[in-house]
Amino acid sequence: MSDLKAEQIVHFLFHSIKGRLIVGVLAIHALLMTLVVADAVFRQRDFMRDQISGEGQSLAVAMAVNAPSWIISNDVAALGELVASLKSARNVSLAAILDEDGRVRAASDPALFNLVLNDAASRQLLDSVRTATGPYQFWHDGMVDTLSPVVSGGKRVGYARVILDTGPVQTELDAAVHKGIAYIILAIAAGGVIAWLLVHGMVWRLERLSKAADEIAAGNLDISPGEASGRDEVARLTHDFNQMVTALRADRVARNDAETALFAEKERALVTLHSIGDGVITTDTDGVVDYLNPVAEAMTGWSSGEARGQPLRLIFNIENEITRQQVENPVEKAIAGDCVVGLANHTVLISRDGREVNIEDSAAPIRDRAGRIIGAVLVFHDVSERHRLTVQLSYQASHDALTGL
């Protein structure tokens, strides 16, 4: 069941117009929102870093400006008060005044008093600031470390050091990132709903057209995809579809009328053939029997149903009465010669039960509307009585009625 649902979801997302449009809109929307939020977060990060960096420099420079006389006089108490004034400053992790040798003369952490700071960060700061003209600053271990020279009479007499903790700033940045992610998710969700509504409104009409097309393919021309609303491409397609359905309905009516007329014409032709006094047989171009009228059935001994699909020579077996040789099939001659063909005299039809009937007949090609030969019709009638009278008259004319000689 889960595999079936997964397959249905994959089919909807990647193999349907609705799914692909929604996925495309969501992807573009997500990309744009990510770029906007990322740009806003990066700008805020740079702003906050510049702000805390400037704050560190300002505090270090402020201490350096106020400390020269107290460093020269070695007034540790005054230096301590100067350092203590920074305790209320935001994010201050350490504030210290160092002499020219790097020894701590006052610090916000009393444990550092009179110590020479020899850690890597302190050495890098001192080495860098001794060759610089202003305060030096670098970031390490989540801190922004600033060292500003204390100058008196153009001579460097010490250093003011301020270390600010960037943790609160990082916390604010993390909060901004989390808000940005939340905004992205919310925007994607809202964009997905809007995309679904827009795509559904368009694809629903296409699905309606597709179902209508399936109904029409099944032969139901009474279906309608509805009125074309709007002026977009789908509305124009719906309008054209409705016109096509209307044309198909009109064509169906005309075809039904034509079929009715053709059926009526065929019925009249069958009635005529059934009523005619001559035998009638119709065949295709290969001489295969298609129809026998009742007279032909009586004379040949074959019913129309039995004879249909049989070769004409089997049904219409004719011989010369005198030579007893089989007579050439008149239908074959009529089709081959594209003309009306009659039988020679002394032709007898041998029926299915062996009876012999003297006949006269003619065969002619049958043509379609384009003039192409599509078969042949054979018309024949019984002349046995006339033949008998002819033979009798011929005998009487050549013999004496009294003597028989």
Side-chain angles (χ1 to χ4, degrees):
M1 183 64 70
S2 60
D3 293 340
L4 179 60
K5 289 184 177 179
E7 184 178 351
Q8 290 175 342
I9 292 173
V10 170
H11 177 79
F12 171 76
L13 292 178
F14 301 106
H15 300 289
S16 68
I17 295 178
K18 181 186 293 185
R20 283 183 288 180
L21 285 175
I22 292 175
V23 169
V25 171
L26 286 180
I28 295 175
H29 193 63
L31 177 61
L32 293 177
M33 287 302 302
T34 301
L35 292 176
V36 170
V37 172
D39 180 69
V41 170
F42 289 149
R43 287 175 181 272
Q44 186 171 3
R45 182 199 64 183
D46 294 341
F47 172 76
M48 296 179 73
R49 291 188 63 160
D50 292 342
Q51 187 178 40
I52 195 171
S53 176
E55 184 179 347
Q57 289 188 15
S58 298
L59 293 175
V61 170
M63 284 202 307
V65 170
N66 291 287
S69 59
W70 295 326
I71 291 178
I72 293 172
S73 62
N74 198 26
D75 189 344
V76 176
L79 292 174
E81 291 178 2
L82 177 61
V83 170
S85 67
L86 298 185
K87 286 185 177 181
S88 60
R90 188 180 63 169
N91 302 327
V92 174
S93 177
L94 176 66
I97 300 294
L98 290 70
D99 62 16
E100 175 64 18
D101 297 325
R103 187 178 300 277
V104 177
R105 306 310 301 154
S108 57
D109 183 0
L112 297 179
F113 178 71
N114 213 33
L115 293 179
V116 176
L117 301 181
N118 198 33
D119 59 283
S122 298
R123 289 197 304 270
Q124 182 177 348
L125 276 172
L126 288 171
D127 292 342
S128 300
V129 82
R130 283 168 181 162
T131 59
T133 57
Y136 179 78
Q137 183 181 78
F138 80 103
W139 296 66
H140 64 88
D141 303 322
M143 305 286 183
V144 56
D145 203 341
T146 307
L147 190 66
S148 180
V150 179
V151 179
S152 177
K155 181 181 178 182
R156 185 181 291 116
V157 295
Y159 304 97
R161 185 176 185 182
V162 176
I163 300 178
L164 299 181
D165 184 7
T166 61
V169 175
Q170 187 61 46
T171 301
E172 291 183 23
L173 281 174
D174 292 341
V177 170
H178 293 156
K179 285 183 179 179
I181 293 174
Y183 290 152
I184 291 175
I185 294 174
L186 181 62
I188 291 175
V193 172
I194 295 173
W196 186 88
L197 291 174
L198 292 175
V199 172
H200 178 73
M202 177 181 66
V203 175
W204 173 77
R205 291 182 291 167
L206 292 176
E207 291 176 345
R208 188 173 60 178
L209 285 174
S210 177
K211 291 180 181 178
D214 291 339
E215 289 289 334
I216 291 173
N220 180 16
L221 294 182
D222 296 326
I223 193 69
S224 173
E227 294 298 324
S229 59
R231 302 176 63 183
D232 58 9
E233 290 82 356
V234 179
R236 291 198 296 271
L237 179 61
T238 303
H239 175 73
D240 295 341
F241 192 92
N242 284 332
Q243 287 187 323
M244 180 192 71
V245 173
T246 301
L248 287 174
R249 289 171 182 164
D251 180 71
R252 181 178 63 178
V253 171
R255 188 172 64 252
N256 290 341
D257 291 343
E259 289 176 353
T260 301
L262 181 62
F263 180 78
E265 184 179 349
K266 182 178 179 181
E267 285 295 308
R268 287 193 296 270
L270 288 175
V271 169
T272 301
L273 291 176
H274 273 68
S275 303
I276 197 170
D278 291 342
V280 178
I281 299 176
T282 59
T283 72
D284 63 13
T285 54
D286 294 323
V288 176
V289 174
D290 179 62
Y291 167 79
L292 275 71
N293 75 342
V295 175
E297 290 178 333
M299 293 178 67
T300 61
W302 291 80
S303 69
S304 184
E306 292 175 322
R308 184 175 294 111
Q310 300 292 339
L312 177 63
R313 187 165 295 281
L314 176 65
I315 308 302
F316 190 69
N317 184 14
I318 51 177
E319 293 181 357
N320 185 282
E321 181 183 23
I322 299 173
T323 66
R324 310 310 298 184
Q325 291 183 348
Q326 199 167 43
V327 178
E328 185 179 1
N329 190 329
V331 166
E332 294 177 356
K333 293 176 64 177
I335 293 176
D338 190 14
C339 61
V340 178
V341 175
L343 283 178
N345 293 330
H346 308 293
T347 301
V348 294
L349 170 65
I350 303 174
S351 68
R352 190 177 186 180
D353 58 6
R355 290 182 296 109
E356 293 187 4
V357 180
N358 292 92
I359 62 171
E360 288 182 352
D361 75 350
S362 63
I366 300 175
R367 302 179 185 276
D368 61 12
R369 290 184 179 181
R372 294 185 298 266
I373 296 176
I374 58 174
V377 58
L378 176 65
V379 180
F380 56 97
H381 57 275
D382 185 353
V383 294
S384 298
E385 181 63 20
R386 188 176 69 185
H387 179 71
R388 185 185 65 79
L389 292 175
T390 301
V391 171
Q392 183 178 353
L393 290 174
S394 177
Y395 178 83
Q396 290 176 352
S398 60
H399 293 78
D400 184 270
L402 296 175
T403 63
L405 297 175

